[in-house]
Amino acid sequence: MSAAGFVLAINLFIAGLFATAFGIVAAYYRGAIGARWLALAYATGILNGVFEFILPYQVDARPVSVSIFAAFLFALALSNVGIARHYGIRPPWLILALIVVASLAINVAILDMPRDSFIRAILYQAPYAVLQLVGAALILSRKSNRALDMALVGLMVLVALNFLSKPFIALLIGSGGSPQGYLGSNYAAISQSTAAVLLISNGLLILLIIVRDMMADMTARSETDTLSGLLNRRGFEDRAEKARLLAVRAGAPAVMIVADLDHFKAINDSFGHAAGDRAIAAFGRVLKESFDLRAVIGRLGGEEFAVLLPGGDLGVARGAAEAARRLLRELPVEERGMERQITSSFGIAAMEAGESLADLLRRADTALYEAKSRGRDRVCVAPVMAIGISRDGPEQQARA
């Protein structure tokens, strides 16, 4: 076996490993839709190597030569579909179809051109380079600047340049006197060796990205309360503690808001637990609409919710809490799912020097208890020694 044949056998083995790896990921995690297409892409790439091995034994090399080109072309196109699916982009089916059809037509047209023709070599390699650049463009369209994503873009551009460099290498050292003699040429040894390096790099990088995003999604699912769509208690405490520490290091303020639904047990008793679930879901939506993107919002359990507002002061926090309270009161019947009006109470505490997250939650909860004891459907603020501020908003003061 020639050196090129030996490297080609290694490439076949590597392609098989990646096809299996992506297949396992797709089977284990059904959300990894892109992995299914990538497994199919690598499996199709195996056909390219198989055809390369049988080419030297063909009397008429043209059918197998076209099969070699088509197998790799389809593998790259399928890889782009997998990348698009993973990044949540609609695959550019029309563009890919046009590239594949045009490339196959060109490949058939250049079959009888001399093998040492530079134009023939460019027309043969250019479709591969174009498909790599399409894949890079798909990733860039997501406007992600994460390191692994940018590394994959760079690698795909490098692979495209590698394809475009092959005609120059073939021009310098030759690519074999005939298609059947390709595997015995020095050009084949160089081509297959670079392909091995790039195949491993590309497969590992895409696999790392899929596993990274899969783990992030699994973590998000484990920290999300499915009923309200907010963070669950575990997720809230973890995110809120990180936000609190960042605020402390930056010398910025932070405010804790604790809220719950008024007379929630009566809602369940009168309208059923399904109505109670709808009320919780509605309150979750209201909280997300009322607080900005900095806020860490979670459902602590039952009808109790919490919001940490890093960088915000008491005025901002109370204004957002009042807006959420009014918005929930004014929800139309079709959104709240019952004839009864839903109200909520809020307790607010501004973070003080040296205060832990648990202490901050405790003070906000005390303010919430005061709101409950004073008639519910109101916002109360825990006393702050450094700032003289009334405990109730203007609306509640007027009502009191």
Side-chain angles (χ1 to χ4, degrees), residues 142-150:
R142 294 295 295 167
K143 297 180 180 179
S144 171
N145 58 359
R146 291 183 291 181
L148 286 179
D149 300 317
M150 291 300 98

Side-chain angles (χ1 to χ4, degrees), residues 243-278:
R244 186 192 69 84
L245 289 174
L246 285 174
V248 169
R249 289 167 189 162
V255 181
M256 179 68 74
I257 303 104
V258 176
D260 73 6
L261 296 170
D262 296 329
H263 304 294
F264 184 70
K265 184 177 184 301
I267 291 174
N268 279 333
D269 292 343
S270 301
F271 300 95
H273 289 281
D277 290 347
R278 286 195 296 271

Side-chain angles (χ1 to χ4, degrees), residues 351-355:
M351 182 175 68
E352 298 183 352
E355 191 171 34

Side-chain angles (χ1 to χ4, degrees), residues 22 48 60 77 159 194 318 333 339:
F22 285 117
N48 171 266
D60 182 0
V159 174
T194 55
R318 187 165 62 187
V333 174
E339 293 295 331

Side-chain angles (χ1 to χ4, degrees), residues 73-133:
L73 188 73
F74 277 110
L76 291 179
L78 290 169
S79 179
N80 280 340
V81 174
I83 288 171
R85 289 299 190 193
H86 176 72
Y87 284 96
I89 307 168
R90 184 178 181 275
W93 296 110
L94 181 59
I95 293 174
L96 293 175
L98 289 174
I99 292 172
V100 168
V101 171
S103 300
L104 288 173
I106 291 171
N107 183 257
V108 171
I110 65 174
L111 273 177
D112 294 326
M113 290 179 67
R115 281 184 63 80
D116 58 359
S117 167
F118 181 76
I119 294 192
R120 178 188 185 278
I122 283 287
L123 291 174
Y124 187 93
Q125 299 291 342
Y128 298 156
V130 169
L131 284 172
Q132 286 294 300
L133 295 176

Side-chain angles (χ1 to χ4, degrees), residues 176-248:
S178 66
Q180 292 89 334
Y182 163 75
L183 279 182
S185 67
N186 291 330
Y187 169 79
I190 295 172
S191 178
Q192 293 298 327
S193 297
T194 55
V197 173
L198 295 174
L199 180 68
I200 294 172
S201 302
N202 188 73
L204 283 176
L205 199 49
I206 295 177
L207 193 59
L208 278 173
I209 289 171
I210 289 179
V211 171
R212 175 203 68 187
D213 295 343
M214 183 175 72
M215 294 300 293
D217 184 58
M218 291 174 68
T219 299
R221 288 173 183 267
S222 71
E223 294 181 345
T224 301
D225 173 59
T226 56
L227 184 56
S228 66
L230 304 175
L231 294 169
N232 58 25
R233 188 179 194 103
R234 170 189 167 189
F236 174 80
E237 290 179 348
D238 181 60
R239 304 274 184 94
E241 177 62 12
K242 291 176 182 176
R244 186 192 69 84
L245 289 174
L246 285 174
V248 169

